[in-house]
Amino acid sequence: MVQFAQVIVDVPTLQTNRPYDYVIPAIWQEQLRAGMRVVVPFGKGQRQIQGFVVGITDTAPDYTGELKVITQVLDLQPVLNLELLALAKWLAQWTFAFQISCMQTMLPSVMKASYSKKVRLLGAPTPATTAIFHDQTELDFADLAPETIKQLLKLQQEQLVEVVYQVHDRAKVKTIKAIKPLLAAADYTTIAAQVPANAKRQHELLTYLAAHTTAQEPITMQQVTAETQLTLTHVQTGAAKGWLRLIELETYRDPYAELASAPRTQPLTLTKEQANAVHQITTAGQQQRDQVFLVEGVTGSGKTEIYLQSIQAALNSGRTALMLVPEIGLTPQMVARVRGRFGAHVAVLHSGLSNGERYDEWRRIERGEAQVVVGARSAIFAPLTNIGLIIMDEEHEGSYKQDEMPRYHARDVALWRAKYHHCPVVLGSATPSLESRARAQKGVYQLIRLKERANHQPLPEVTVVDMKNELKKTKEDNFSSLLMRELRKRVLHKEQSVLMLNRRGFSSFVMCRDCGFVLKCPNCDISLTLHMDTHSMKCHYCGHEEAIPQVCPNCQSRKIRYYGTGTQKVESELQGLLPEARILRMDVDTTRRKGAHAKILRQFGRHEADILLGTQMIAKGLDFPDVTLVGVLNADTALGLPDFRASERTFQLLTQVSGRAGRAEKKGEVIVQTYNPEHYAIRLARHHDYEGFYQREMTLRHQGGYPPYYYTILVTASHEEENEAAKKIFQLMNQVKPVLSPQAVLLGPTPRAIARVNKRYYYQMVIKYKHEPQLQKLLTQIMQENQARNGIQISIDREPLSFI
Ligand code: ADP
Ligand code: ZN
Ligand code: ZN
């Protein structure tokens, strides 16, 4: 009987969500399975392209032309299991993406075509393997004949061979230069006597080498240049003369490697609130209910311990567990806690890993060697089977949403997988997203509240400093006298402080430094965004535009300026004010290098600094017992953003960063500097009042017609020519409008905030709606019809995090 395969092909120019039918050659019948990749001829030129097999049938497809035949098989076993194939199909529909993009997203990047692939012999040779391998242990997949692949497919099922990807990891061979003296100290003195006196650098080198002859370790060039006037050229001369050896040191280290051997921790005795949470979660797990729990627990309430004990329960019943952490929350501390409890059963997936390491972790999961997965957003696609629990820590975090195709939110994927596996989901946060909290309100999610810290200490006291008054007293831009006084005290008493500079909204709006006035749109009650290209202020909702103000329209002050300061500038200002303080800076600049983030935190943990100064990345998940002061330099930058989530973001950030103080025995204190002390987000954060904030914000969202009262979809069209992009978005508007009911709202079209990116112009519209049965179908159709036609690109984003 002839078999047929449905294949999703990878054609970048003509993306399509429907599978194409192919004939499976007799030689691979019975062995080809869904989830394997193949090469097939496609299109007019019969170009050979890659695709995923998504189904196999015995009945001939309903197709009038001549069916083409699969050319090559690329895998010996499925790379995507049936669950992930079904997930890809759903995800493509849900996010208006292409199935092929969803499938590629699920796989580690080394499994894509550009890497070479080997078939490796497992265990002792048998007559069947010897017939193929002869005296070799590895074969290049690219060289294999169809006949051979047929044999190998069988051998794979008998677990006699495996496929591995060759990864030439640049990260792994990264080196730095170092030197090693080759002679004895006395020899250097002898040589020095023969070197002309005016060869100053040679003398300096000889002296330096003589002083380091007993060094155990090679001396890095960095150290040499720091301690002397010598450069690499001088050292190379020395090497040529045989005075020293110049060596390349491997610097690569897994930032989490030392944690693998961390001492195992024992479960803590739970507080009453924690025990209740664990009980509810594990009961749902035992009953195989796909219930969603929203754990709303104040900072320090011990959510991690709840996660760990719930994971333990899932493992005890023979199931696996998946724990998502936002990228910046995936601190070494968090990894250490999970590894400390479950040791080698844990696989960690995050963007800091090299491609090779990522692939290694993926394989450990796929083979069932790791039963617990901790990772950032894309770890939600980990090939775990038999999942018993999915956890999303800091569920409100924006990094759970991917902003390129597929534009998915990890929470949606988590809920889908939980349904598939009949297991509970735990969404944890001190400041849940309004969407999740509202769902808990309606009883869709089960709400579990933890009102107390695990150590029964009160939440830290928060003092709000009004910077409007402060600026009149001092010349300093960034530090109030109260904050300086408290910082000085901490340095004196050898306690630690954390300072946060909020970079969100940097320079994108103007604010009056005398009265805190922010320019708003007359139509929309949303702040205007500064556009340097056109030298104007624009509204991203209705398109209103006006000139950049020279004086404050409210108080006539001339001190109306772009708002924003760099961390580096703040660091030097602080160092000037507090010369004796040891400051560590953590921002995108100082954490670019692999492992740098972990290193800074380790240094801070070892008390090598008094003050940790950083951007938002310091707000999350840090647990340092000796931090008694947290300062927020500028609480309100985000409030000026033309974004309906601006208040929510500000409240979340302030609550999170405040939570870093007073986590152990010592009492904590928080100082928040702001130009808007009366703003409700700041007032309520000051009292750690999430519930109060939720009520207030929901009222405003209701009045403004924003999520969670409405669903939203952002449609963007882009083109190299501005008028083409604009024309397209108006055409799409005319297509969408007739389909919408009167209850739906269409915002725009408007140019996007940064209207031109990468030589392309972007125009957008936002659809707000409650129930539009026709919309999904229409948007899917728009997506497919318009792909890459005439240079136009369309993107459709369900529930965008912002409209800017
Ligand atoms: P959250 O994530 O809710 O902010 P954490 O999970 O970081 O809080 O816990 C805060 C601190 O309380 C941690 O140092 C943790 O070790 C400690 N802790 C948590 N639960 C308990 C407990 N039951 N008994 C003692 N200490 C606990
Ligand atoms: Zn407007
Ligand atoms: Zn003013």
Side-chain angles (χ1 to χ4, degrees):
M1 193 197 301
V2 184
Q3 280 190 320
F4 304 90
Q6 286 84 54
V7 179
I8 297 278
V9 293
D10 188 2
V11 189
T13 49
L14 185 135
Q15 296 285 8
T16 169
N17 273 332
R18 84 174 173 82
Y20 288 82
D21 295 301
Y22 286 90
V23 174
I24 305 175
I27 179 170
W28 296 318
Q29 304 229 343
E30 308 298 325
Q31 284 167 334
L32 194 68
R33 283 180 285 158
M36 289 185 183
R37 289 168 301 175
V38 290
V39 174
V40 292
F42 189 82
K44 283 207 192 80
Q46 296 296 290
R47 218 155 41 83
Q48 298 292 324
I49 54 164
Q50 260 205 50
F52 284 81
V53 175
V54 293
I56 289 172
T57 53
D58 294 332
T59 43
D62 183 15
Y63 182 71
T64 44
E66 188 197 344
L67 276 185
K68 286 164 215 145
V69 182
I70 290 176
T71 317
Q72 178 65 295
V73 174
L74 293 176
D75 297 306
L76 296 185
Q77 68 183 108
V79 290
L80 293 176
N81 62 30
L82 293 180
E83 183 209 351
L84 293 176
L85 285 177
L87 175 58
K89 190 171 175 187
W90 167 80
L91 194 62
Q93 281 167 3
W94 178 247
T95 64
F96 306 99
F98 305 120
Q99 269 191 66
I100 191 81
S101 317
C102 297
M103 291 166 161
Q104 304 281 25
T105 298
M106 293 175 175
L107 293 178
S109 54
V110 308
M111 294 179 70
K112 288 167 198 157
S114 53
Y115 289 85
S116 73
K117 210 167 31 173
K118 307 260 183 198
V119 184
R120 196 189 277 163
L121 193 56
L122 288 174
T126 68
T129 59
T130 308
I132 298 171
F133 282 83
H134 305 290
D135 54 354
Q136 287 165 296
T137 54
E138 262 184 15
L139 298 174
D140 225 322
F141 203 103
D143 302 337
L144 301 176
E147 250 324 314
T148 317
I149 290 183
K150 177 187 166 66
Q151 307 297 329
L152 289 169
L153 281 164
K154 222 163 85 210
L155 295 174
Q156 201 284 327
Q157 276 168 24
E158 294 163 22
Q159 305 201 335
L160 293 171
V161 297
E162 65 171 352
V163 174
V164 283
Y165 289 77
Q166 288 308 94
V167 188
H168 305 287
D169 237 332
R170 260 185 280 121
K172 266 191 178 136
V173 294
K174 201 169 147 201
T175 58
I176 53 166
K177 291 193 167 52
I179 62 167
K180 211 174 164 56
L182 287 176
L183 310 173
D187 297 331
Y188 288 120
T189 320
T190 315
I191 296 169
Q194 295 155 9
V195 170
N198 60 357
K200 275 201 182 133
R201 292 293 171 246
Q202 290 196 26
H203 278 287
E204 188 177 5
L205 177 58
L206 288 165
T207 311
Y208 188 78
L209 289 170
H212 290 85
T213 47
T214 54
Q216 302 282 321
E217 301 277 319
I219 308 151
T220 64
M221 269 315 287
Q222 197 188 356
Q223 189 183 339
V224 175
T225 50
E227 292 172 356
T228 66
Q229 306 284 320
L230 300 166
T231 67
L232 185 61
T233 319
H234 305 125
V235 169
Q236 279 164 338
T237 311
K241 289 181 189 283
W243 300 347
L244 60 97
R245 185 182 301 138
L246 191 58
I247 42 185
E248 303 273 328
L249 276 186
E250 276 200 20
T251 60
Y252 167 71
R253 281 202 57 183
D254 173 358
Y256 300 131
E258 65 192 54
L259 303 173
S261 54
R264 293 293 278 268
T265 58
Q266 292 304 316
L268 301 172
T269 309
L270 298 176
T271 64
K272 232 176 167 172
E273 288 183 328
Q274 283 175 319
N276 164 46
V278 171
H279 176 74
Q280 290 196 50
I281 296 161
T282 52
T283 306
Q286 278 151 14
Q287 296 174 352
Q288 312 223 339
R289 271 189 284 129
D290 57 353
Q291 190 168 7
V292 183
F293 295 93
L294 178 61
V295 177
E296 178 193 322
V298 297
T299 54
S301 56
K303 292 187 284 295
T304 311
E305 190 62 29
I306 297 176
Y307 304 152
L308 295 179
Q309 298 204 14
S310 304
I311 291 172
Q312 186 65 63
L315 295 182
N316 291 348
S317 56
R319 301 175 87 187
T320 61
L322 181 49
M323 175 166 165
L324 293 189
V325 177
E327 187 64 50
I328 44 174
L330 194 53
T331 59
Q333 286 192 326
M334 182 54 100
V335 175
R337 282 184 181 182
V338 184
R339 279 245 175 97
R341 195 64 58 85
F342 305 109
H345 297 284
V346 182
V348 182
L349 294 171
H350 62 98
S351 65
L353 296 178
S354 68
N355 286 340
E357 291 166 319
R358 217 168 208 289
Y359 172 56
D360 292 345
E361 290 295 82
W362 188 88
R363 294 225 322 151
R364 287 183 55 225
I365 302 165
E366 202 221 1
R367 294 161 151 195
E369 290 166 15
Q371 294 85 38
V372 180
V373 174
V374 185
R377 184 179 60 224
S378 65
I380 193 60
F381 300 116
L384 279 174
T385 53
N386 196 16
I387 300 176
L389 178 65
I390 303 178
I391 294 164
M392 253 179 105
D393 189 30
E394 311 284 8
E395 69 90 34
H396 61 277
E397 267 294 315
S399 64
Y400 282 127
K401 177 82 192 279
Q402 175 155 299
D403 58 10
E404 57 186 47
M405 187 189 282
R407 295 181 164 77
Y408 67 93
H409 197 297
R411 194 196 295 124
D412 297 332
V413 181
L415 265 50
W416 189 97
R417 293 197 79 178
K419 266 213 170 70
Y420 187 94
H421 289 277
H422 307 289
C423 75
V425 175
V426 174
L427 307 174
S429 176
T431 54
S433 64
L434 286 225
E435 282 85 349
S436 294
R437 182 62 187 79
R439 251 163 244 166
Q441 190 77 38
K442 282 181 152 180
V444 181
Y445 299 165
Q446 174 68 37
L447 183 62
I448 301 177
R449 286 182 67 192
L450 291 92
K451 299 175 191 172
E452 280 210 32
R453 284 191 151 183
N455 61 5
H456 301 290
Q457 293 279 335
L459 287 161
E461 181 110 4
V462 180
T463 310
V464 173
V465 178
D466 186 348
M467 291 301 276
K468 296 194 295 278
N469 304 331
E470 208 60 33
L471 276 178
K472 289 171 193 146
K473 284 192 276 182
T474 64
K475 293 191 306 293
E476 304 305 338
D477 259 5
N478 295 304
F479 294 93
S480 60
S481 46
L482 175 69
L483 182 55
M484 280 318 300
R485 198 163 61 232
E486 293 300 322
L487 277 172
R488 239 177 235 121
K489 234 195 258 168
R490 296 309 186 290
V491 175
L492 202 66
H493 293 136
K494 306 242 173 321
E495 293 177 2
Q496 291 184 301
S497 309
V498 169
L499 284 182
M500 186 183 73
L501 180 73
N502 188 354
R503 295 274 297 173
R504 192 180 266 277
F506 179 70
S507 274
S508 64
F509 70 108
V510 302
M511 184 169 82
C512 174
R513 294 233 165 175
D514 278 330
C515 76
F517 178 83
V518 172
L519 202 59
K520 289 197 165 158
C521 174
N523 312 323
C524 307
D525 196 32
I526 277 243
S527 25
L528 296 177
T529 302
L530 176 71
H531 281 243
M532 280 317 279
D533 48 349
T534 52
H535 287 278
S536 65
M537 310 291 304
K538 282 185 191 167
C539 172
H540 290 152
Y541 289 75
C542 70
H544 170 85
E545 184 169 350
E546 60 186 79
I548 302 172
Q550 299 301 314
V551 295
C552 172
N554 187 43
C555 75
Q556 273 65 52
S557 159
R558 296 202 144 266
K559 280 201 194 161
I560 184 155
R561 305 190 199 141
Y562 318 137
Y563 199 87
T565 318
T567 31
Q568 209 168 354
K569 187 172 158 259
V570 172
E571 182 188 13
S572 57
E573 190 181 325
L574 180 61
Q575 196 71 77
L577 291 165
L578 265 180
E580 68 277 25
R582 296 166 303 162
I583 305 171
L584 268 175
R585 176 160 63 93
M586 189 153 97
D587 56 19
V588 280
D589 294 329
T590 61
T591 55
R592 199 164 289 145
R593 278 192 39 231
K594 194 171 173 228
H597 185 207
K599 191 172 156 215
I600 293 174
L601 294 177
R602 266 204 304 275
Q603 285 176 304
F604 194 60
R606 286 197 300 252
H607 277 251
E608 286 168 25
D610 308 298
I611 300 172
L612 177 64
L613 166 70
T615 52
Q616 283 88 308
M617 60 174 81
I618 61 167
K620 305 283 147 47
L622 303 187
D623 193 20
F624 291 112
D626 294 321
V627 171
T628 57
L629 175 67
V630 167
V632 180
L633 297 177
N634 54 340
D636 32 21
T637 42
L639 288 176
L641 281 178
D643 179 354
F644 70 88
R645 285 194 171 91
S647 302
E648 185 182 1
R649 296 263 174 273
T650 300
F651 180 85
Q652 285 164 349
L653 192 59
L654 291 181
T655 307
Q656 293 295 341
V657 73
S658 303
R660 300 311 113 212
R663 292 176 74 84
E665 302 308 304
K666 295 174 195 154
K667 213 170 143 242
E669 189 181 346
V670 180
I671 296 173
V672 172
Q673 302 185 156
T674 174
Y675 290 91
N676 292 289
E678 315 80 20
H679 192 285
Y680 66 97
I682 291 172
R683 254 194 312 106
L684 293 165
R686 190 184 152 206
H687 295 111
H688 310 283
D689 186 3
Y690 172 79
E691 286 293 313
F693 176 78
Y694 167 69
Q695 301 297 347
R696 172 84 193 245
E697 184 70 14
M698 283 296 273
T699 311
L700 293 174
R701 297 282 179 93
H702 185 68
Q703 284 165 1
Y706 290 120
Y709 288 98
Y710 278 87
Y711 297 116
T712 55
I713 291 179
L714 173 71
V715 181
T716 310
S718 73
H719 195 275
E720 286 181 12
E721 301 287 334
E722 180 162 15
N723 61 334
E724 290 296 323
K727 228 163 65 188
K728 187 77 208 176
I729 200 76
F730 277 94
Q731 185 197 323
L732 293 180
M733 178 190 74
N734 289 327
Q735 234 178 310
V736 170
K737 239 184 182 160
V739 166
L740 296 179
S741 73
Q743 285 77 44
V745 181
L746 211 148
L747 300 175
T750 55
R752 205 169 75 175
I754 311 163
R756 190 163 181 248
V757 179
N758 251 337
K759 295 186 187 153
R760 294 186 75 86
Y761 287 90
Y762 288 83
Y763 274 74
Q764 64 176 40
M765 62 181 174
V766 175
I767 307 162
K768 298 199 295 180
Y769 67 100
K770 288 189 171 168
H771 182 67
E772 297 296 326
Q774 305 295 318
L775 191 58
Q776 169 80 31
K777 201 166 142 234
L778 176 66
L779 291 178
T780 306
Q781 187 194 329
I782 285 176
M783 195 63 199
Q784 307 216 333
E785 279 171 1
N786 288 282
Q787 258 333 292
R789 293 270 157 85
N790 309 320
I792 285 273
Q793 272 173 19
I794 309 275
S795 84
I796 302 180
D797 190 357
R798 186 189 291 277
E799 298 305 319
L801 288 187
S802 87
F803 298 166
I804 22 179

